[in-house]
RNA sequence: GGAAAGGUAGCUCAGUCGGUAGAGCAGUUGGCUUUUAACCAAUUGGUCCUGGGUUCGAAUCCCAGCCUUUCCA
C-alpha cells in the first residue's frame, strides 16, 4: 500500500501521458533538419534496414576502456563498451578511440577480421555513437595499447554532431546549459565533477566513521530560519499554506540534539533567493554537523582535519595550485597545519589601525574613506567593521585562517563569550578569499536565544521559529556546530574560478524563444 | 539594479575603411589494411543573437531588446 500513489512518481495520468509520448516519438520532418542531422538520421534508418537496433540493449563487459588502457596486457579476450570519440579511417582498416569517463582505448577495426556483414553495419557509425566491442588486446607497431575488434555491437546512435575534438566547448552558454556536452568535450570538467563526487562520498564516510548520523530534515519549511537570507516562497495546496524552501537546516538539526542525537550531520541543498554570481548559486550544497558536548574550537579541529584529509587524498597534498587556461600556476594555497586562528577584532585592527575599536562611528566612517572601503549611510557600526573585515581581511586571505570571536549581532545562534558578552564563541574559516565554513559553540539557553532572535528580526516577529524555541526549553546539550559550503570548498580544492564550474547544472536565465 | 566586454557554419575562431560571408576541425564523396590532432584530393554547410534606423549598399555605424561573462551594488 505504500506504493498506492506511486503513479504520480512517473508523471501525469495515463491518458495525458500517451499524448505526451506520441509527441515525443514523432520524428521531426527530415527536410526541416540541417544536413548534419539529416545524414545521421539516414544512417540510423539504414541500420534498421540492416536489421540492427540503433538504440541497442544490455551488453556485458569485462573491462572499462580507460581502466583497460591503464593496466594493459597483450593477448586478452575482452568485451568493452563506450563512446566513439575519434575515428581514423585508413580504408579497410580503421582505428577508433573508445572512451569512458576515465579514459580511452584504441580499437582496431579491420574489414577482414569482422566480416563483410559487420563491416557494412560498422560503416554507418559516427563519432559520438555508443558501441560495444568484443575482441582481443594487442600492441600496434607504434606501441599503442589496442583492442582488435572481432564483433561490433551498436549500443546507441548519436543523432547530433559532437563538439570540436580538440578545442572542446568554451562557450559558457553551452557549457552550463548543456553540461553533457561539456563533460563529453572537456577533460577538465570531467575531472572536477568526478573529484566532487569522490570528495562528497569521502566527507560522509569520514563523519560516519566518527559516529555521526546522517539525517534528512525538511527542505520545505514553515518558517525559514538558521541564517539571514531571502527565502524562496512556495505554496502547499492541500494544506492551503505558504511555505519556504530552507535557507539552512540548522534549526531542525538542533531539534535532533534536543531529541538525543548527539552527533548528526546533513549534507544537502539549501536555497537562497538572492543574487547570482561567481560565488553564488540560488541552490547550493552545505554540510552542517553538530556534536554534543563540543565547542567551536573542537569543531575547528574537526574541519581542519577533514579538509586536510580531502586535500591529501584527492589533491596530492596540502599545497593546492590554481592554474589558468594556459596551465600556469596563478595561486597556491598552503593548507599546512596548524591553521592560523585569530580574533576578529585583532584582524580588523591590524588592517584598519590599532585604534579602530576605540573610534566612534563617525571616526570609523572617516577611516573607511581613507582606506578606500566603501560603506553606505544606513550601515550600523558593527556593519561598518564587517565591511572593513570583508574588504581588507577576507578578500586578501588565501591560506586558511580561523577568524574567531565575531560581534554577537552577526551570529544570533551562537553562545556569547563568558568574558565579553559583546562577542560570540565562533569561528569563520576563510580560505582563498572566501568564507568556507562557520563554526559555533551553539547557544542553548532558550531565553537568551529568544532575545537574540527578536533583536535580529526587528518588527518581523513572524520570522521567529517558535517551535524551535519550544524545543530548546526541553533542553539542548551544549554543542559545537559547523557548516561547510561544499561548492566553495570544491572551488578551493579544484581551482575552479566560478561556482558554475563545480555545480553540474547551475541556474541561468531562461532562454527566450 | 549599474558599468564594461561579448554573441558570425555543428565546434573553435578570423572578418581591414561600410562594398560578393572566411579558416581549421567535424560532415559528405573518392583514395589508402598499423593510424593516433592520421594523411591526400574534392566538396556541402550561414536567421552574421533579435527588431528598428542611417545608407545606393550594414556582420561592420546608430537605437532598443534578449542572452552570456566579468566587476560593482
Amino acid at each position: 500500500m505504500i506504493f498506492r500513489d506511486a503513479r504520480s512518481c512517473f508523471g501525469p495520468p495515463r491518458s495525458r501521458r500517451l499524448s505526451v509520448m506520441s509527441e515525443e516519438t514523432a520524428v521531426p520532418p527530415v527536410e526541416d533538419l540541417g544536413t548534419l542531422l539529416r545524414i545521421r538520421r539516414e544512417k540510423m534508418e539504414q541500420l534498421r534496414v540492416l536489421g540492427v537496433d540503433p538504440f541497442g540493449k544490455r551488453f556485458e563487459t569485462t573491462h572499462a576502456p580507460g581502466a583497460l588502457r591503464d593496466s594493459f596486457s597483450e593477448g586478452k579476450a575482452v568485451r568493452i563498451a563506450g563512446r566513439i570519440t575519434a575515428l581514423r579511417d585508413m580504408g579497410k582498416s580503421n582505428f577508433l578511440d573508445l572512451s569512458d569517463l576515465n579514459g580511452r582505448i584504441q580499437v582496431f577495426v579491420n574489414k577482414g577480421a569482422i566480416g563483410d556483414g559487420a563491416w557494412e553495419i560498422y560503416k554507418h557509425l559516427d563519432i559520438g555513437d555508443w558501441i560495444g566491442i568484443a575482441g582481443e588486446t594487442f600492441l600496434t607497431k607504434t606501441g599503442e595499447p589496442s583492442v582488435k575488434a572481432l564483433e561490433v555491437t551498436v549500443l546507441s546512435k548519436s543523432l547530433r554532431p559532437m563538439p570540436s575534438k580538440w578545442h572542446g566547448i568554451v562557450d559558457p552558454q553551452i557549457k552550463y546549459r548543456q553540461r553533457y556536452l561539456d563533460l563529453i568535450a572537456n577533460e577538465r570538467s570531467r575531472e572536477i565533477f568526478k573529484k566532487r563526487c569522490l570528495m562528497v562520498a569521502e566527507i560522509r564516510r569520514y563523519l560516519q566513521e566518527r559516529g555521526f548520523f546522517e539525517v534528512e530534515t525538511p527542505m520545505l519549511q514553515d518558517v525559514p530560519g538558521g541564517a539571514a537570507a531571502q527565502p524562496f516562497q512556495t505554496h502547499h495546496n492541500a494544506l492551503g499554506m505558504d511555505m519556504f524552501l530552507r535557507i539552512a537546516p540548522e534549526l531542525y538539526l538542533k531539534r535532533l540534539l534536543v531529541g538525543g542525537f548527539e552527533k548528526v550531520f546533513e549534507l544537502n541543498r539549501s536555497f537562497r533567493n538572492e543574487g547570482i554570481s561567481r560565488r553564488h548559486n540560488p541552490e547550493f550544497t552545505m554540510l552542517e554537523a553538530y556534536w554534543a558536548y563540543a565547542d567551536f574550537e573542537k569543531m575547528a579541529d574537526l574541519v581542519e582535519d577533514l579538509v586536510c584529509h580531502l586535500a591529501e587524498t584527492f589533491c596530492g597534498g596540502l599545497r593546492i595550485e590554481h592554474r589558468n587556461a594556459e596551465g600556469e600556476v596563478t595561486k597556491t594555497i598552503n593548507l599546512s597545519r596548524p591553521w592560523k586562528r585569530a580574533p576578529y577584532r585583532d584582524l580588523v585592527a591590524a588592517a584598519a589601525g590599532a585604534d579602530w575599536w576605540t573610534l566612534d562611528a563617525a571616526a570609523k566612517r572617516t577611516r573607511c574613506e581613507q582606506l578606500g572601503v566603501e560603506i553606505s549611510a544606513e550601515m550600523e557600526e558593527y556593519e561598518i567593521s564587517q565591511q572593513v573585515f570583508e574588504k581588507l581581511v577576507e578578500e586578501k586571505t588565501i591560506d586558511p585562517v580561523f577568524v574567531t570571536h565575531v560581534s554577537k549581532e552577526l551570529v544570533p545562534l551562537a553562545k556569547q563569550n563568558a568574558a565579553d558578552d559583546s562577542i560570540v564563541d565562533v569561528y569563520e574559516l576563510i580560505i582563498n578569499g572566501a568564507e568556507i565554513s562557520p563554526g559555533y559553540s551553539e547557544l542553548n539557553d532558550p531565553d537568551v536565544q529568544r532575545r537574540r532572535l527578536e533583536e535580529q528580526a526587528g518588527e518581523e516577529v513572524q520570522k521567529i521559529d517558535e517551535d524551535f524555541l519550544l524545543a530548546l526549553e526541553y533542553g539542548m546539550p551544549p554543542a559545537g556546530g559547523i557548516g561547510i559550503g561544499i561548492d566553495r570548498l570544491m572551488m578551493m580544492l579544484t581551482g575552479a574560478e566560478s561556482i558554475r564550474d563545480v555545480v553540474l547544472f547551475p541556474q541561468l536565465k531562461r532562454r527566450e524563444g
Side-chain angles (χ1 to χ4, degrees):
Chain A
M1 283 308 105
I2 292 170
F3 296 108
R4 196 177 43 145
D5 291 331
R7 194 179 60 175
S8 63
C9 298
F10 298 107
R14 192 175 175 78
S15 59
R16 212 178 122 210
R17 265 171 68 205
L18 283 174
S19 68
V20 168
M21 283 183 70
S22 65
E23 282 167 29
E24 282 172 357
T25 50
V27 177
V30 166
E31 47 279 8
D32 288 348
L33 300 171
T35 309
L36 294 172
L37 282 65
R38 197 193 70 235
I39 289 167
R40 288 203 172 213
R41 282 186 178 273
E42 283 169 5
K43 288 179 179 173
M44 172 183 74
E45 290 308 327
Q46 285 159 8
L47 284 173
R48 291 200 168 108
V49 169
L50 292 167
V52 174
D53 178 359
F55 297 103
K57 57 178 193 287
R58 172 169 170 167
F59 183 84
E60 297 299 333
T61 64
T62 60
H63 297 76
L68 181 57
R69 191 173 195 278
D70 289 343
S71 54
F72 188 82
S73 63
E74 288 183 85
K76 268 191 302 193
V78 296
R79 292 173 62 86
I80 55 174
R83 165 176 265 139
I84 301 173
T85 51
L87 201 52
R88 294 176 288 279
D89 183 350
M90 307 282 301
K92 293 186 179 66
S93 278
N94 281 16
F95 296 88
L96 56 86
D97 288 345
L98 201 65
S99 298
D100 66 8
L101 202 56
N102 296 311
R104 56 151 196 114
I105 190 151
Q106 175 168 274
V107 175
F108 175 67
V109 184
N110 177 269
K111 188 178 179 185
I114 64 171
D116 291 354
W119 185 256
E120 180 64 17
I121 292 164
Y122 168 78
K123 294 311 283 180
H124 293 92
L125 297 179
D126 288 299
I127 290 173
D129 292 351
W130 294 88
I131 61 170
I133 296 289
E136 189 179 320
T137 58
F138 76 109
L139 285 170
T140 65
K141 73 178 185 189
T142 56
E144 176 73 19
S146 305
V147 175
K148 181 177 186 177
L150 299 171
E151 287 174 33
V152 179
T153 307
V154 179
L155 298 179
S156 189
K157 186 73 194 154
S158 168
L159 299 178
R160 287 178 182 267
M162 290 292 119
S164 167
K165 68 179 169 190
W166 67 79
H167 291 110
I169 291 279
V170 301
D171 181 346
Q173 296 217 40
I174 300 175
K175 233 174 120 63
Y176 302 140
R177 289 187 199 275
Q178 294 178 275
R179 177 68 81 186
Y180 46 91
L181 294 179
D182 177 45
L183 292 170
I184 291 168
N186 298 330
E187 187 183 3
R188 180 174 152 77
S189 286
R190 286 198 293 277
E191 291 307 315
I192 285 177
F193 288 111
K194 274 159 57 183
K195 205 184 253 188
R196 179 175 176 140
C197 290
L198 294 170
M199 286 200 278
V200 166
E202 183 60 18
I203 291 168
R204 289 197 158 99
R205 196 202 61 76
Y206 178 98
L207 290 169
Q208 283 159 357
E209 185 182 75
R210 284 158 180 75
F212 286 81
F213 281 121
E214 180 171 12
V215 296
E216 294 157 280
T217 67
M219 295 197 188
L220 274 179
Q221 297 182 350
D222 193 14
V223 181
Q230 284 297 313
F232 284 92
Q233 193 166 357
T234 184
H235 185 80
H236 192 289
N237 291 340
L239 293 176
M241 64 191 264
D242 289 336
M243 303 197 80
F244 301 90
L245 298 186
R246 72 175 176 198
I247 54 177
E250 176 157 358
L251 303 187
Y252 281 91
L253 292 170
K254 285 180 171 172
R255 286 166 166 91
L256 294 176
L257 286 173
V258 172
F261 277 75
E262 295 174 347
K263 291 181 178 180
V264 290
F265 76 97
E266 184 160 9
L267 200 175
N268 218 311
R269 231 68 64 79
S270 288
F271 307 84
R272 296 186 184 177
N273 199 347
E274 296 177 347
I276 295 178
S277 78
R278 202 165 61 86
R279 290 209 161 102
H280 298 86
N281 197 54
E283 53 184 299
F284 62 100
T285 301
M286 184 158 55
L287 165 72
E288 283 202 11
Y290 293 84
W291 185 354
Y293 328 126
D295 65 359
F296 79 100
E297 290 180 301
K298 196 165 177 177
M299 301 312 282
D301 295 339
L302 180 75
V303 168
E304 185 175 319
D305 189 66
L306 169 60
V307 173
C308 288
H309 171 67
L310 293 174
E312 286 174 330
T313 306
F314 298 107
C315 306
L318 296 179
R319 296 182 70 82
I320 309 296
E321 290 183 340
H322 289 200
R323 293 166 189 276
N324 61 16
E326 284 73 44
E328 299 153 348
V329 175
T330 54
K331 193 189 288 177
T332 302
I333 299 167
N334 183 359
L335 299 178
S336 300
R337 302 178 71 172
W339 293 354
K340 180 178 173 185
R341 300 185 188 193
Y344 178 83
R345 293 190 169 176
D346 293 0
L347 291 167
V348 173
D355 58 345
W356 175 264
W357 297 102
T358 66
L359 301 175
D360 61 17
K364 283 193 175 94
R365 287 176 186 280
T366 309
R367 181 70 56 82
C368 280
E369 212 164 300
Q370 292 162 354
L371 293 167
V373 175
E374 289 180 28
I375 49 171
S376 64
E378 60 269 25
M379 275 184 178
E380 303 268 353
E381 199 166 338
Y382 75 89
E383 290 174 311
I384 296 172
S385 296
Q386 177 64 9
Q387 189 71 6
V388 169
F389 172 76
E390 286 178 13
K391 294 296 164 191
L392 301 182
V393 181
E394 182 171 290
E395 288 184 7
K396 293 176 165 52
T397 298
I398 299 302
D399 295 343
V401 177
F402 286 108
V403 180
T404 64
H405 297 108
V406 311
S407 303
K408 70 169 182 181
E409 294 88 347
L410 295 167
V411 189
L413 296 167
K415 240 189 216 310
Q416 280 156 266
N417 184 267
D420 178 354
D421 70 2
S422 72
I423 58 176
V424 281
D425 283 340
V426 303
Y427 74 77
E428 295 279 6
L429 173 60
I430 310 298
I431 312 178
N432 192 27
E435 183 191 325
I436 296 280
S437 163
Y440 308 164
S441 294
E442 301 295 344
L443 177 52
N444 62 339
D445 178 329
D447 297 335
V448 174
Q449 181 68 86
R450 175 178 293 280
R451 280 204 301 280
R452 298 271 299 282
L453 287 175
E454 284 172 352
E455 282 164 16
Q456 188 201 35
E459 299 95 62
E460 299 175 88
V461 183
Q462 76 278 8
K463 276 191 171 174
I464 291 180
D465 188 339
E466 289 293 340
D467 192 59
F468 166 64
L469 291 171
L470 175 64
L472 286 191
E473 290 188 21
Y474 284 92
M476 185 181 98
I482 54 161
I484 296 182
I486 297 296
D487 308 294
R488 288 183 184 182
L489 179 67
M490 294 302 149
M491 288 170 65
M492 189 273 288
L493 289 173
T494 62
E497 290 297 316
S498 168
I499 195 170
R500 295 182 193 91
D501 293 326
V502 299
V503 172
L504 279 167
F505 299 100
Q507 195 62 48
L508 298 178
K509 251 189 202 179
R510 180 177 295 131
R511 191 154 37 178
E512 302 294 335

